[in-house]
Amino acid sequence: FSDTAGRGSATGARTVFAVGDEKQSIYGFQGAAPHMLGESGSYFAGHARGASHTWNDVSLTLSFRTTTPVLDAVDSVFVDPVRTPGVARALGALRHESSRQGHAGLVEIWETELLEATSDVDTFVPTGERTAPSPAVRLAGRIADTIKDWLETGAERLHSEDRPIRAGDILILVRRRAAFAPAMIAALKQRGIPVSGADRM
């Protein structure tokens, strides 16, 4: 265990400090492999303890970004190891706290949009008009309709500022741009909803 073994010119104890978040690596962002964080942590912990060094696993559970209802939903997903095979369980169940106590939040789970079987059409109908709208297009339409309703009725409020939601308050996050972002932008524009484009969206 070269990082802490032996003597060197420095007089203090040699240490290892590593920070990582397996949950942020689930989608393989920039080639990340979430299981490797847990494996590396176990490797270093075993060697440190074997050399009689102190090893601390520090769980960073306080979130400054989001609210309690959203964090509770995330924790509910991650509590099932079948759904999250890349997340280590060395620290026990994942439970997060929000620094934004008392702030509103809501998680909705919508029905999945599935491929629809195409019906028989006239041979002379152009090919592009024969297929049913893709799931991405239908989902984009549902989201855009929901946003349009928010903006037109004023029923949805931004509680932190005690006012109705505006278009600029809404952020749409997508897992991948290729299939969904163009459809989402088109659906918003068709309904006259201001949108900044894929990079901002």
Side-chain angles (χ1 to χ4, degrees):
F1 191 50
S2 60
D3 290 310
T4 56
R7 297 179 179 274
S9 58
T11 55
R14 297 181 182 183
T15 62
V16 173
F17 178 75
V19 179
D21 187 344
E22 294 159 301
K23 300 183 301 303
Q24 300 242 3
S25 302
I26 286 174
Y27 296 141
F29 179 66
Q30 292 188 344
H35 67 279
M36 291 186 68
L37 179 65
E39 291 173 1
S40 297
S42 298
Y43 171 82
F44 283 111
H47 279 76
R49 290 172 179 141
S52 299
H53 287 281
T54 300
W55 182 267
N56 295 310
D57 282 315
V58 180
S59 182
L60 304 177
T61 59
L62 183 63
S63 171
F64 295 90
R65 287 188 174 186
T66 192
T67 59
T68 299
V70 176
L71 293 172
D72 287 346
V74 171
D75 289 342
S76 296
V77 172
F78 278 88
V79 76
D80 184 353
V82 174
R83 294 188 185 127
T84 54
V87 179
R89 292 291 183 264
L91 302 180
L94 293 162
R95 298 302 307 170
H96 293 90
E97 298 177 26
S98 175
S99 66
R100 297 168 56 182
Q101 292 298 314
H103 288 199
L106 175 68
V107 176
E108 293 182 354
I109 300 176
W110 289 4
E111 290 291 329
T112 304
E113 292 286 352
L114 302 174
L115 283 171
E116 293 180 353
T118 57
S119 58
D120 292 335
V121 293
D122 191 294
T123 306
F124 296 100
V125 173
T127 304
E129 297 177 14
R130 296 183 188 185
T131 57
S134 72
V137 169
R138 293 199 310 274
L139 177 58
R142 287 170 61 191
I143 294 171
D145 285 339
T146 300
I147 292 172
K148 183 179 180 182
D149 182 66
W150 290 350
L151 300 177
E152 289 181 349
T153 65
E156 282 295 320
R157 300 187 64 80
L158 186 65
H159 293 286
S160 61
E161 297 186 20
D162 192 27
R163 61 168 173 78
I165 284 180
R166 302 171 188 151
D169 299 322
I170 299 167
L171 178 66
I172 300 172
L173 302 176
V174 298
R175 180 174 174 178
R176 292 188 179 91
R177 292 186 191 181
F180 187 71
M184 189 70 252
I185 292 171
L188 292 168
K189 289 183 175 180
Q190 286 168 2
R191 290 157 180 81
I193 300 169
V195 56
S196 297
D199 290 334
R200 291 295 301 276
M201 187 173 77

